[in-house]
Amino acid sequence: MMLFRLFLVACMLAIVGYTAVTIANHGWNLVPIFFGDMAEMAWPGQFNFDFLCFLLLSGIWVSWRHNFRPAGLALGLVAVFGGMMFLSVYLLVQSLRTRGEIAALMLGPERAAAR
């Protein structure tokens, strides 16, 4: 679990740093570029579409983990728009809350207790 947590911290720091440099050089105008690449039907667009599907999956998983309650739906939405910057912090916090118990981390405490 310690290596997993270190991985999450490393991802978070790397993405925050990379994002800061990208925003400094290119501004906040991500949406037209992201969807424009997809509209061109080339490899950058394929990568963006694949990534979008992962974002949607992570949002659905976070919402499901919280039993689709209002707070879970809100967290799921943040997961879709926050990407790994959100998910790294979320998983780090949840790994500490669940004391590293994988079933509780992946399923949520209620589902893990019902197993």
Side-chain angles (χ1 to χ4, degrees):
M1 186 54 63
M2 185 56 68
L3 287 176
F4 178 64
R5 290 175 180 155
L6 288 172
F7 170 75
L8 293 172
V9 170
C11 284
M12 180 192 56
L13 293 174
I15 290 173
V16 166
Y18 195 99
T19 302
V21 171
T22 303
I23 290 170
N25 291 328
H26 301 283
W28 288 88
N29 205 17
L30 166 69
V31 173
I33 295 166
F34 185 81
F35 289 106
D37 283 347
M38 281 195 268
E40 288 181 17
M41 300 295 290
W43 283 115
Q46 187 279 339
F47 180 83
N48 288 358
F49 184 68
D50 187 273
F51 178 58
L52 177 62
C53 290
F54 272 109
L55 290 172
L56 294 171
L57 178 62
S58 82
I60 290 168
W61 173 73
V62 169
S63 295
W64 172 84
R65 189 179 179 280
H66 291 274
N67 299 308
F68 295 104
R69 292 185 184 119
L73 293 171
L75 285 170
L77 192 60
V78 174
V80 170
F81 289 100
M84 189 59 177
M85 228 180 301
F86 165 79
L87 203 57
S88 59
V89 173
Y90 175 81
L91 286 170
L92 184 60
V93 168
Q94 294 303 323
S95 75
L96 294 169
R97 280 185 164 176
T98 60
R99 295 186 175 114
E101 188 182 326
I102 293 296
L105 178 62
M106 298 306 293
L107 301 172
E110 292 174 20
R111 284 188 183 89
R115 289 182 27 173

